[in-house]
Amino acid sequence: MGAGWSLKGSRRPGSSDPSGRGGRWLLLGAVLATALVVGAFVVALVLGRLAASSQAAAKQHSNVLRTSAKLLVEVEGADSGQRGYLLTGNPSYLQTYTLVQADIPRQVDTLDALTGKTEQPQVDRLRILVAQKEAALARSIEVRRTQGMAAAVALADGDRGQVLTDQITAIVLPLVQDSQQQDMSSDRAAGRAGTAVLVAASVGVALAVGLLVLLIWLIAQRWRLATARRDAEHARDQLLKSLSQQATHDALTGLPNRRLVADRLEQALLRREPGRLVAVMYIDLDGFKAVNDQYGHARGDEVLLRAARRMRAALRPADTLARVGGDEFVAVCEGLTATEEGHAIADRLRRSAAHTLNDELALSIGASVGLVFTAPYEPSTPDGAQGRPVRLAISQLDLDAAVEDLLTSADDAMYEAKRQGRGRLAVYDVAMAAARHGRREDAAALRQAFDAGHLWVAYQPMVDLGTGEVLGVEALLRWTDPERGPIPPARFIATAEDSGLIQPIGEFVLRTACEQVAEWNTLREATGRPPLTVSVNVSSRQVSRPDFCGTVARTLAYGRLTPDLLCVEITEQVLIDAVGAGTAELEQLSGLGVRIALDDYGTGYSSLSHLHRFPIDVVKIDRSLVAGLGHSERDEALVSAIIGLARTLHRQPVAEGVETAAQASLLRAWGCQQGQGFLYAEALAALDLEAFLLRRGAGAAPLPSPRSTPAPDRSGRDPAEAEPA
Ligand code: C2E
Ligand code: CA
Ligand code: CA
C-alpha cells in the first residue's frame, strides 16, 4: 500500500521521439532539394550565357552587314543604281566571311560611326586577298575596319562590275560557304545549346517542382505525424488518467476505492496531531441484496449510488468516503477532538444510508456501522499500550500494518453491529478481534472436520401425535470431534454459514438424507408401510444460490426419492434475506413437488404475510413455545393461535420439542397432528433409527442395511457413540 504507488500518470522514460529520425531525413531532403534547384539554376544560367553569346555573335554579324552596306554607300558617294560588293568577315571567327551583293539604296540613312576594334592583320589579309586577285578590275577597293569587322568593298560599273563580282565571288565564295557552314554549325550548336538549355531548364524546373512537391509532401507527412503523435499522446494521457482513476476509484459511485482510502488513512495517521483522533468507520448496507434481487441490478445500482451520495453528504468535506465492496463503505475522519464527535458522525452516516433506502423502496433496509478510533497521538507516551489498535511508527511497514489493523477493526465492529441486529452502530473493542480470530479458527476446524468425515447426519423421527406412528424424519447435522466429542450445531452452523462452508456441507446433508430415506423406503415397500418423508434444514445462503433448485432436483433424481417425500425447512430469515431471488427458487422448488416448511415459527418475525405470500406447506412451531405448554398461558395462546392460523391458511402445523405426553395431547386437541421431540426420540444415527423403527413396528421394521450407518469415509467412528444420552 502507499509506497511506490503514485496517482499521477507518468510518461515512459526513454521513449524515443519517433519523428527525430524523420526530421533528420527531412532536413537532408530539403538540403538536397535546395542543392538540386540551385544546381539546375547554375547549369541553366551557364547554358543561357552560352546561347546568349552565340546569339550576340549572330547579332553582331548582321550588324556588321548593315554597317558595311552603309559603308559602301559612304565610300562611293553611292549613286543610286550602282552595284556594290561588300565582303565582310568577322575577325572573331577568323574565317567567317560573307559576301553581300547589294543594290545601293537611293537613300542612305545617317551612317553609324565606324569605330571598330578589328585587328589590323585580319583587315590586311582581306585587303590583300581581294587586291591581289582583281585589283585592276576594281574601280576602287577599300577595306575598312568596321565595328569588330573588316569590310572589303569594291565598286564596279557595267560588265566589269559583273566580272569583278564573279571574281570576288570565286575568291570569297568558298570562304563564305565555309563560313556559312561554320555559321550553320555554330547555329546548330547554338540551337543545341538552346535546346539543352531548354531541356536543362525544364528538367531543372521539373526537378525543382518535384522536389518542392516532395518537400511539401514531407512537411505534410511530418505535420500529420506530429498531429497523430499529439493525438496518441492525448489518448495515452486520457488512458493513464482513466486507469489511475480506475485504480483508485469505484466505477459506479466515483468514490475512492479500498486502495485509495487506505492511502488516505495512511496520510491521516502521518498528519496526526497531539490530542486529535482519527476515526475509521465500516458501513455495510443491510438488506441491500433484497433490493438487487427484487428490483434488479440497475435499480440496485441506483439505490447504491443514492446511498453513497447521502452518506457523502453526511460527512464533513475533508472526510473520505470509499466504496470497498458491493454494499460496503469505509469512512475516514481525522482531526477529531473527542470520541463523541466520531460517534455523532457515524450515527449521521448510519441514518443517512438507512433513510435513502427507506425513502426509495418499501423495504426494511438500513446500515450497520462499525467504528474504531486511533489512540490519541501522544508523542511522549511510549507505543504499544494495551488495546491500542495503532502504534505510531515511522516505518512504512508499520504504517501499512496500522492501516490494515484499523480497517480490520472497523470491519470487526461492523460485524458485531450486524450480529446485534440491523441498523446498529458498534464501537470496536479488543474482544471483537478475538472473536474474529475465533471465527477464523472455527471455520478452519470445521473445514478440517468435514474433510476428515467427522460430520454426519442424524435423523429425528417425526411422528403422528395421535398414533405415535413414524411418518418421517428430520435430518440434523452432527459434528463429532475425536477429541472434543460432539459439537452442537448451534456452535458451528453459523460458522458454516459465515465461511460459505454451508454450501458443500448442506449438499452433503441433502444427498445423505435423500439416499438414506430412499433406501429405507425401498425396504419399507415390502412391509406395505407408507414411505417416510425427510425434512432437511437449509440456510439462506443455500437458497440464494442461483442453482439451488437444480441441486435439489439432481439430488432427488440421484437418490431416487420422489419430490413429495422431501421437505425443505427454511427460517423466516431466508424469506427476508432472499426475498427476490429466493422467492423464485422457492416457487420453483414448490413446482417440483418438494414441500417447504417454515421452521422455528413463533419466534422472531412470525409474520402472517410470510405464511401466506410464500409457497409454505408446513409450519413448524418452535420448541421454545411448545416447552411452555402446560405452564405458560402466553405460550399456549400463541401455539393454539399458530395452529389455527396454519390450518386456516391450509398449512400443516408440526410441533417441535414435544417432551411430554401432556404437550402432545394439548397440541392434538388444538389440531396439530404431527410432531417431533424427545418424548418419541432424539436425533439418532441411522443405525439407531433403524433399531427404533424395529422396536416400534415389530415385524414391519426394515432390515438393517450397510447404509444404515454414516458412510465410513464421512464418519471416522460410530456416530451412535457420539449421541447424547
Ligand atoms: P431445528 O431445525 O429447529 O432443529 C431442531 C432442534 O431441536 C435440533 O437441535 C434437535 O435436536 C432439537 N430437539 C428435537 N427434539 C427436542 C426436544 O424434545 N427438546 C429439545 N429441547 N430439543 C429438541 P439441533 O440438532 O441441535 O439443531 C439445532 C439447529 O441447527 C436446528 O434447529 C437447525 O436450525 C440447525 N441445523 C441442524 N442441522 C442442520 C443442517 O443440516 N443444515 C442447516 N442449515 N441447519 C441445521
Ligand atoms: Ca428444522
Ligand atoms: Ca426448529
Side-chain angles (χ1 to χ4, degrees), residues 325-646:
D327 59 350
E328 291 175 21
F329 298 82
V330 165
V332 172
C333 311
E334 57 182 307
L336 305 174
T337 49
T339 51
E340 287 73 23
E341 227 179 303
H343 285 231
I345 296 174
D347 204 53
R348 264 206 321 268
L349 210 55
R350 183 185 63 80
R351 274 182 290 118
S352 70
H355 182 67
T356 318
L357 301 171
N358 285 333
D359 254 15
E360 288 296 309
L361 311 162
L363 285 168
S364 66
I365 296 161
S368 301
V369 181
L371 172 62
V372 66
F373 294 100
T374 55
Y377 174 43
E378 307 295 355
S380 53
T381 310
D383 291 336
Q386 252 288 313
R388 281 169 67 172
V390 174
R391 286 175 293 111
L392 190 78
I394 344 117
S395 93
Q396 183 65 47
L397 227 67
D398 283 354
L399 253 181
D400 287 354
V403 165
E404 216 34 61
D405 248 16
L406 278 169
L407 289 172
T408 314
S409 302
D411 193 8
D412 284 344
M414 190 279 291
Y415 188 92
E416 184 55 28
K418 275 248 193 258
R419 209 188 56 78
Q420 287 171 4
R422 285 133 187 264
R424 306 246 179 162
L425 168 66
V427 183
Y428 175 81
D429 77 66
V430 274
M432 292 176 188
R436 174 166 43 82
H437 286 305
R439 283 198 299 276
R440 210 173 280 168
E441 278 167 17
D442 287 353
L446 180 61
R447 185 183 300 272
Q448 239 176 353
F450 183 50
D451 290 343
H454 297 160
L455 299 188
W456 54 279
V457 181
Y459 303 90
Q460 182 174 39
M462 300 175 76
V463 301
D464 183 313
L465 293 178
T467 63
E469 188 193 348
V470 178
L471 304 170
V473 292
E474 177 176 1
L476 292 161
L477 188 61
R478 293 289 175 263
W479 174 2
T480 310
D481 184 82
E483 276 151 33
R484 293 191 285 166
I487 299 166
R491 290 254 309 270
F492 68 85
I493 292 290
T495 305
E497 284 174 344
D498 279 351
S499 62
L501 276 170
I502 195 70
Q503 210 58 48
I505 292 176
E507 278 180 30
F508 156 72
V509 174
L510 186 68
R511 194 176 58 244
T512 309
C514 286
E515 286 176 17
Q516 180 62 80
V517 172
E519 195 179 301
W520 283 331
N521 285 342
T522 311
L523 295 166
R524 278 168 78 91
E525 244 173 42
T527 69
R529 287 174 176 271
L532 295 175
T533 63
V534 58
S535 293
V536 177
N537 297 283
V538 297
S539 70
S540 166
R541 289 202 51 172
Q542 287 173 272
V543 180
S544 57
R545 283 278 290 230
D547 194 33
F548 174 65
C549 193
T551 306
V552 172
R554 279 193 296 277
T555 309
L556 285 171
Y558 185 76
R560 265 172 288 173
L561 191 78
T562 53
D564 60 303
L565 292 180
L566 175 66
C567 178
V568 166
E569 296 195 4
I570 57 167
T571 60
E572 284 186 286
Q573 192 60 54
V574 172
L575 300 179
I576 291 153
D577 287 348
V579 75
T583 308
E585 284 292 314
L586 292 181
E587 297 285 357
Q588 243 181 309
L589 209 58
S590 190
L592 273 182
V594 172
R595 304 207 309 153
I596 297 164
L598 199 55
D599 210 352
D600 303 338
Y601 201 78
T603 61
Y605 303 93
S606 311
S607 150
L608 179 64
S609 92
H610 284 159
L611 262 193
H612 96 134
R613 252 175 68 202
F614 295 105
I616 306 294
D617 303 284
V618 175
V619 180
K620 292 192 80 172
I621 305 156
D622 192 70
R623 59 185 183 275
S624 65
L625 295 180
V626 174
L629 299 186
H631 46 86
S632 163
E633 278 182 27
R634 176 190 160 273
D635 288 352
E636 285 176 6
L638 271 173
V639 170
S640 69
I642 291 169
I643 293 168
L645 182 67

